[in-house]
């Protein structure tokens, strides 16, 4: 049984500006399969190697696979579909499989436009793909494909979805095989070293309206911190990795686990630095621990500050204020941790003035780096459900955070891009001339920042940053020549689907109402939505991060039953929200899983 996994050749000039990222999905999938006897696995990284279709075809012909699998987020979906089409052209009998978040929710659309795909994996992939591989190996595919949980497939004119596979309870049972990658390809430009993207947890207990990770994973599960550091030690010792970024949405949510992870790293004295994405509220919560985090090698934190206007913070359900964002950045800088502020721009109410506000506010906050990302409503997010009639572009290849999908009322898309580029030019010019060169007292931080500047300049000179080369943007003097080349023939043929209808129905009614009320308030009342949306915050922070019924739903999603939580379990589940000891939570969850299994 020969399995070939392919990373589609998609580029957008976003995160790849910093280098070539090692695809973690391949390592975790390969490790899970090999541990169960399927070890004839080959990986083709068409993205990093920038393979043409003919070059990919040649490699697939040489590999002679029985199964070809690929993955796709929304902007990479067309390239992924083409990968599997090429595989079918070579061998009509090969089994073609698509995984990833886009196919999970948009499987009807995917199978409608790419009928050569034999199966779409819906949700967390390891168990589902293993069961599919086993069915092929045992000769029961495709007759018994209806018995494989967690997939969707076409049958004649129908598109069918099987019962969802439950989330993997014991995430420590997934041991990555990073040896499947060719490591000399994955270089992090700021440090000129190999880079990896392991994860410590899966999922997120919060429900930001613009994000669908919480729907995709359905349950928040944390790995044993020691096992995570074991994995990182393999990356450092065997694969010479010098930098890693935790792929978690919010690795600091579970404070106890994150502290234990840092302590383990510090104790082992591994020669590696690392970075994370996290929330402003967690930085404020852990003010006293920031020196300890830096000692453990944490050198870069990207903060979801999201918007300069408090209106936008409320729309996205971010429980932070502008003042808290500034304080968090000050704390990180004082502790030698490089700060990166993230801004979302291009909403319906965006103007030249609001974009200037983000620049001036960024100057005031004084982060080390800043990103202005175009507002991109995922077609399967809650926000998209309400804004769908305002979406004019259905060319998903451009849903990459650097192309203006939404058109503000007061600006056209070209003007929006130009003002965002003006913010970038001014910010990094100032940092280059008066910032990075004058960092004193911390050679690691200084070297890191100069490396980031190098990465930024290299991508700009190659016209890859922000996809500027393909858009034809050369500055304000050439705006008439800019074209985003939207494919107008692309249409939303099929409605997006939740991973499991019952999963959405099981969510607390109050939570759904809050999300929808916040979006509706924004759409209907403009600036007055600040007051309306302030009551519907759902993404972290404050004295109570999750309501009782929300935590109950999160725990029930894993067990798959409708048993009510005991008072002890509920009390334990709430304690992390106040940063208390999480031992009782772990015990309660274990007890919950045991009861569900019975």
């Amino acid at each position: 049984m020969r399995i070939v996994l392919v990373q589609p050749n998609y580029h957008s000039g976003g995160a790849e500006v910093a280098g070539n990222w090692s695809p973690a999905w391949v390592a975790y999938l390969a490790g899970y399969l090999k541990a169960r006897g399927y070890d004839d696995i080959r990986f083709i990284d068409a993205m990093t190697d920038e393979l043409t279709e003919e070059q990919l075809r040649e490699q697939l012909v040489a590999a002679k696979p029985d199964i070809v699998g690929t993955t796709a987020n929304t902007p990479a979906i067309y390239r992924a579909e083409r990968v599997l089409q090429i595989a079918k052209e070579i061998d009509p009998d090969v089994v073609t499989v698509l995984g990833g978040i886009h196919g999970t929710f948009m499987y009807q659309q995917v199978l409608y436009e790419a009928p050569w795909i034999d199966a779409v994996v819906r949700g967390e992939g390891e168990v589902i793909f293993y069961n599919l591989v086993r069915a092929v190996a045992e000769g029961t595919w495709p007759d018994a494909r209806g018995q494989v949980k967690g997939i969707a497939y076409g049958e004649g004119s129908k598109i069918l979805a099987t019962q969802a596979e439950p989330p993997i309870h014991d995430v420590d049972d997934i041991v990555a095989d990073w040896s499947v990658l060719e490591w000399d390809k994955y270089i992090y430009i700021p440090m000129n070293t190999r880079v990896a993207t392991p994860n410590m947890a899966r999922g997120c207990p919060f429900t930001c309206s613009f994000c669908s990770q919480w729907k995709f994973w359905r349950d928040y599960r944390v790995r044993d911190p020691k096992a995570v550091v074991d994995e990182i030690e393999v990356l450092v010792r065997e694969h010479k990795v010098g930098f890693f970024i935790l792929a978690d949405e919010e690795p600091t949510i579970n404070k106890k686990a994150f502290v234990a992870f840092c302590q383990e790293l510090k104790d082992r004295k591994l020669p590696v630095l690392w970075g994370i994405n996290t929330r402003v509220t967690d930085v404020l919560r852990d003010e006293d621990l920031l020196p300890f985090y830096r000692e453990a090698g944490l050198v870069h934190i990207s903060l979801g500050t999201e918007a300069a206007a408090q209106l936008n913070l409320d729309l996205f359900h971010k429980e932070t204020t502008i003042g808290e964002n500034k304080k968090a950045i000050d704390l990180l800088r004082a502790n030698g941790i490089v700060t990166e502020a993230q801004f979302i721009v291009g909403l319906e109410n965006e103007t030249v003035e609001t974009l200037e506000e983000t620049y001036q506010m960024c100057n005031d906050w004084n982060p080390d780096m800043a990103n202005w990302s175009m507002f991109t409503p995922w077609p399967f997010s809650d926000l998209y459900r309400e804004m769908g009639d305002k979406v004019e572009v259905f060319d998903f290849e451009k849903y990459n955070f650097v192309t203006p999908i939404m058109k503000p009322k007061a600006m056209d898309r070209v003007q929006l891009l130009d003002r965002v580029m003006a913010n970038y030019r001014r910010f990094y010019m100032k940092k280059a001339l008066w910032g990075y060169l004058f960092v004193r007292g911390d050679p690691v931080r200084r070297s890191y920042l100069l490396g980031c500047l190098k990465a930024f300049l290299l991508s700009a000179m190659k016209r890859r940053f922000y996809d500027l080369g393909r858009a034809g943007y050369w500055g304000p003097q050439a705006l008439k020549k800019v074209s985003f080349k939207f494919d107008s023939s692309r249409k939303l043929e099929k409605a997006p689907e939740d991973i499991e209808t019952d999963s959405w129905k099981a969510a607390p009614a109050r939570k759904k109402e809050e999300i929808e009320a916040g979006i509706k308030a924004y759409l209907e009342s403009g600036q007055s939505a600040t007051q309306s949306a302030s009551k519907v915050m759902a993404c972290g922070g404050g004295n109570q991060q999750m309501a009782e019924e929300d935590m109950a739903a999160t725990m029930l999603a894993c067990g798959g039953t409708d048993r009510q939580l005991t008072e002890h379990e509920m009390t334990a589940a709430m304690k992390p929200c106040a940063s208390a000891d999480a031992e009782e939570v772990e015990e309660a969850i274990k007890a919950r899983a045991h009861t569900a299994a019975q």
Side-chain angles (χ1 to χ4, degrees), residues 367-501:
D368 297 302
M369 292 184 285
N371 281 316
W372 284 268
S373 298
M374 293 292 182
F375 171 56
T376 305
W378 295 122
F380 35 79
S381 68
D382 296 313
L383 200 55
Y384 193 94
R385 291 188 306 140
E386 297 295 331
M387 303 186 75
D389 60 339
K390 299 179 183 297
V391 178
E392 303 171 337
V393 176
F394 299 101
D395 181 359
F396 290 140
E397 190 170 49
K398 301 302 195 300
Y399 278 53
N400 49 24
F401 294 105
V402 301
T403 304
I405 296 301
M406 304 298 293
K407 180 191 174 301
K409 288 183 177 179
M411 308 174 70
D412 61 36
R413 290 183 174 88
V414 174
Q415 187 181 21
L416 172 61
L417 175 66
D418 181 55
R419 298 322 303 161
V420 168
M421 287 303 104
N423 284 0
Y424 272 110
R425 285 193 297 268
R426 290 181 292 171
F427 180 85
Y428 282 101
M429 182 67 72
K430 182 177 179 181
K431 289 294 182 182
L433 295 177
W434 309 109
Y436 302 156
L437 291 172
F438 297 96
V439 173
R440 296 289 182 265
D442 190 339
V444 172
R445 186 170 180 271
R446 182 176 188 273
S447 175
Y448 187 89
L449 288 170
L450 289 174
C452 290
L453 180 62
K454 174 185 175 182
F456 179 81
L457 293 175
L458 281 174
S459 67
M461 287 187 293
K462 293 178 180 179
R463 309 299 298 153
R464 290 187 174 183
F465 176 70
Y466 232 81
D467 221 16
L468 296 180
R470 278 184 282 191
Y473 178 86
W474 289 90
Q477 72 280 5
L479 297 186
K480 293 183 179 180
K481 298 181 180 180
V482 175
S483 173
F484 299 111
K485 302 179 177 66
F486 294 127
D487 184 348
S488 59
S489 69
R490 298 285 186 180
K491 303 296 181 183
L492 192 64
E493 302 287 353
K494 297 292 182 180
E497 296 287 340
D498 286 325
I499 183 172
E500 185 178 15
T501 303

Side-chain angles (χ1 to χ4, degrees), residues 152-173:
Y153 57 91
E155 190 173 86
S157 60
K158 298 179 180 179
I159 294 174
L160 305 176
T162 63
Q163 179 183 351
E165 177 70 38
I168 299 172
H169 295 293
D170 184 8
V171 286
D172 290 320
D173 191 40

Side-chain angles (χ1 to χ4, degrees), residues 1-56:
M1 175 59 58
R2 182 168 298 171
I3 303 165
V4 173
L5 304 175
V6 183
Q7 179 76 25
N9 183 16
Y10 177 81
H11 297 269
S12 66
E16 63 200 75
V17 165
N20 295 322
W21 298 94
S22 51
W25 70 273
V26 176
Y28 289 110
L29 204 58
Y32 195 83
L33 290 174
K34 288 184 177 182
R36 287 152 182 81
Y38 297 99
D39 55 6
D40 191 352
I41 300 172
R42 182 185 171 188
F43 174 53
I44 299 174
D45 193 342
M47 178 181 180
T48 298
D49 293 339
E50 299 197 40
L51 299 182
T52 65
E53 289 189 0
E54 285 308 308
Q55 290 171 325
L56 174 61

Side-chain angles (χ1 to χ4, degrees), residues 138-150:
E138 294 175 354
T140 61
W141 185 274
D143 294 339
R145 57 185 173 177
Q147 304 304 311
V148 178
K149 293 181 179 180

Side-chain angles (χ1 to χ4, degrees), residues 148-423:
V148 178
K149 293 181 179 180
I151 66 170
Y153 57 91
E155 190 173 86
S157 60
K158 298 179 180 179
I159 294 174
L160 305 176
T162 63
Q163 179 183 351
E165 177 70 38
I168 299 172
H169 295 293
D170 184 8
V171 286
D172 290 320
D173 191 40
I174 307 169
V175 180
D177 177 17
W178 290 97
S179 67
V180 73
L181 305 182
E182 297 177 25
W183 277 99
D184 57 341
K185 298 178 181 179
Y186 305 106
I187 303 299
Y188 188 58
I189 295 174
M191 293 184 61
N192 192 31
T193 189
R194 295 180 180 183
V195 60
T197 53
N199 73 317
M200 190 171 75
R202 290 193 171 186
C204 180
F206 305 117
T207 56
C208 291
S209 63
F210 59 88
C211 178
S212 295
Q213 287 295 319
W214 58 280
K215 283 187 180 182
F216 179 84
W217 298 107
R218 291 185 292 165
D219 185 41
Y220 177 63
R221 293 146 292 155
V222 183
R223 297 173 60 192
D224 178 357
K226 183 179 182 300
V228 181
V229 180
D230 287 343
E231 180 180 334
I232 291 168
E233 185 161 8
V234 169
L235 287 165
V236 173
R237 306 294 188 199
E238 297 182 14
H239 304 299
K240 311 305 178 188
V241 167
F243 188 82
F244 70 87
I245 287 184
L246 287 177
D248 305 35
E249 292 297 304
E250 306 284 357
T252 55
I253 287 175
N254 188 315
K255 180 179 179 180
K256 180 183 177 182
F258 188 73
V259 169
F261 170 76
C262 291
Q263 187 64 59
E264 192 73 26
L265 275 175
K266 183 180 177 182
D267 291 344
R268 298 196 200 186
K269 297 182 172 61
L270 296 176
V272 63
L273 296 175
W274 51 289
I276 62 172
N277 299 292
T278 194
R279 302 173 302 156
V280 165
T281 51
D282 284 7
V283 172
L284 301 178
R285 178 198 70 190
D286 295 350
E287 178 177 353
D288 294 340
L289 288 169
L290 294 180
F292 166 66
Y293 294 162
R294 180 63 184 85
E295 291 170 4
L298 178 56
V299 71
H300 183 163
I301 289 184
S302 178
L303 288 172
T305 49
E306 312 296 8
Q310 188 65 42
L311 166 65
N312 292 351
L313 289 174
D314 292 336
L315 171 65
F316 296 141
H317 303 153
K318 290 287 181 181
E319 288 192 9
T320 58
T321 66
I322 291 171
E324 287 171 336
N325 291 341
K326 176 176 172 54
K327 182 179 178 181
I329 290 171
D330 289 342
L331 287 172
L332 292 174
R333 186 188 309 106
N335 286 281
I337 299 174
V338 171
T339 59
E340 180 178 2
Q342 301 282 352
F343 297 95
I344 293 177
V345 297
L347 278 78
E348 188 181 23
N349 62 337
E350 199 76 77
T351 64
V352 172
E353 291 74 22
T354 59
L355 285 169
E356 180 64 22
E357 285 176 13
T358 66
Y359 174 72
Q360 295 300 335
M361 185 161 291
C362 194
N363 273 338
D364 180 52
W365 291 352
N366 194 27
D368 297 302
M369 292 184 285
N371 281 316
W372 284 268
S373 298
M374 293 292 182
F375 171 56
T376 305
W378 295 122
F380 35 79
S381 68
D382 296 313
L383 200 55
Y384 193 94
R385 291 188 306 140
E386 297 295 331
M387 303 186 75
D389 60 339
K390 299 179 183 297
V391 178
E392 303 171 337
V393 176
F394 299 101
D395 181 359
F396 290 140
E397 190 170 49
K398 301 302 195 300
Y399 278 53
N400 49 24
F401 294 105
V402 301
T403 304
I405 296 301
M406 304 298 293
K407 180 191 174 301
K409 288 183 177 179
M411 308 174 70
D412 61 36
R413 290 183 174 88
V414 174
Q415 187 181 21
L416 172 61
L417 175 66
D418 181 55
R419 298 322 303 161
V420 168
M421 287 303 104
N423 284 0

